[in-house]
Amino acid sequence: MKRGVMYAGMAGGLWGGVIMVPELLPEFSPMLLSTVRYLMVGVLSLLMLLPMARHLRRLTLQDVWMLLRLAVVGNLVYFICLAAAIQHLGVAPASLIVGILPLTITLYGRNDSGAVPLTRLAGPLALILAGMLCINLETFAFAPGDVTDKLLGLFYALGALACWTWYAGQNSRCLKRCGHFDGHQWSVLIGVMTGLASLVMVALLAGWQPQQLQVQAPASRWWWFWVACLGCAVFGSWLATAFWNAASRRLPLTLSGQLIVFETLFALLYAFLWRHSGPTLLEAAAIILVIGGVLWSMRQHEAPRRLAKAAHS
């Protein structure tokens, strides 16, 4: 369990950095950021697939169909929605709306094997929900901005929330029941499938919405765009996904769902560093409540394991 929590924290740290990219490159559309990032992921994954190409004969049609859905929903659509939410709302509110994932994933995985009953998680979940309410009160009650723009950003943030709730649940279940691929192989296959889906999306955009691919920006901004996309591909997709899959194999879904909150906490930390200021009172309260809820949840998961070991011995 400790190694699983460590892997989840490392994945969250990398994903928190990815959340900053749309804020740093506002002139580039979410579609362009997503497709270029995942085209690079596809190329990287294809290179890693070559040494393990002999394992492809294990693929079934059911595997291919699941990989396609995970790639499109959990990568492409999720990041498009997240980037759009960040550009409409800002890093802190968007990341913390998506930060409700610990609640939604826990509910999604409540019937899975090894899941702790929701009655035992009521306290931790209440703390996490209180933390999310604090940060959203800070954002929507005191932050200036157009109401319509905020509502559009909220719509995109909820879309990202729905995408990753489904992805986290389905990916965790596939890793546990799919014995013919390990976590690294499964990550590589998702990456290849995401690259193929991105290639199709680029073709569709070029044919029907070419303005999404056209950006008026100086060469220096394009240089940062390519560096950011490459960084997202290598660290935010390949390495972070490998860490997350390692965590998913070691933890029940109700606990791994709680630990996605690391992404939110790291995104907040990076946002504070970027704006050169510390958290407000409500932001600090949110962070304390969320961390407290995660630690409490870990204790609730550890207790049944100790009882099971004692009974077995």
Side-chain angles (χ1 to χ4, degrees), residues 66-128:
M66 178 54 69
L67 286 166
L68 178 61
R69 288 184 291 165
L70 290 172
V72 172
V73 177
N75 286 335
L76 275 174
V77 178
Y78 166 74
F79 191 66
I80 289 170
C81 290
L82 179 62
I86 290 168
Q87 291 181 350
H88 285 281
L89 291 177
V91 173
S95 62
L96 282 160
I97 291 171
V98 177
I100 303 173
L101 277 167
L103 291 171
T104 57
I105 293 177
T106 297
L107 294 173
Y108 190 79
R110 65 189 181 277
N111 296 321
D112 283 18
S113 174
V116 172
L118 288 180
T119 53
R120 293 180 59 87
L121 297 175
L125 291 176
L127 285 185
I128 292 173

Side-chain angles (χ1 to χ4, degrees), residues 124-291:
L125 291 176
L127 285 185
I128 292 173
L129 180 58
M132 295 305 168
L133 290 175
C134 284
I135 194 62
N136 282 289
L137 178 63
E138 168 75 19
T139 300
F140 290 99
F142 301 108
D146 180 68
V147 174
T148 303
D149 201 45
K150 286 185 176 182
L151 288 174
L152 185 59
L154 177 61
F155 170 79
Y156 282 122
L158 292 175
L161 176 67
C163 286
W164 230 87
T165 298
W166 179 86
Y167 172 85
Q170 291 299 318
N171 190 51
S172 177
R173 291 166 183 169
C174 286
L175 284 168
K176 286 182 171 70
R177 68 169 180 257
C178 181
H180 49 286
F181 292 110
D182 60 28
H184 170 69
Q185 293 168 341
W186 191 250
S187 299
V188 169
L189 291 170
I190 291 177
V192 171
M193 194 65 73
T194 305
L196 292 174
S198 299
L199 195 59
V200 172
M201 182 172 288
V202 168
L204 292 175
L205 290 176
W208 280 279
Q209 289 190 328
Q211 67 274 11
Q212 294 283 348
L213 305 177
Q214 299 169 358
V215 179
Q216 298 297 323
S220 60
R221 296 297 289 169
W222 275 104
W223 186 86
W224 280 113
F225 168 80
W226 292 111
V227 170
C229 287
L230 182 60
C232 287
V234 175
F235 299 105
S237 290
W238 172 71
L239 188 57
T241 301
F243 284 145
W244 185 254
N245 285 342
S248 296
R249 282 186 172 273
R250 291 167 171 81
L251 303 171
L253 183 55
T254 48
L255 179 55
S256 61
Q258 304 290 304
L259 298 182
I260 291 178
V261 79
F262 280 125
E263 176 185 6
T264 301
L265 295 177
F266 276 105
L268 282 173
L269 173 62
Y270 302 150
F272 297 149
L273 292 174
W274 174 251
R275 73 188 193 193
H276 303 293
S277 66
T280 64
L281 183 61
L282 280 173
E283 288 171 337
I287 292 170
I288 292 170
L289 287 167
V290 166
I291 292 177

Side-chain angles (χ1 to χ4, degrees), residues 10-38:
M10 294 167 74
L14 293 172
W15 282 328
V18 170
I19 287 178
M20 289 297 297
V21 170
E23 175 80 3
L24 302 178
L25 299 169
E27 65 269 46
F28 295 93
S29 72
M31 288 281 192
L32 186 59
L33 286 168
S34 184
T35 51
V36 171
R37 169 191 175 180
Y38 286 113

Side-chain angles (χ1 to χ4, degrees), residues 52-60 181:
M52 48 180 270
R54 65 183 184 280
H55 298 299
L56 290 178
R57 62 178 181 270
R58 304 175 186 172
L59 272 175
T60 64
F181 292 110

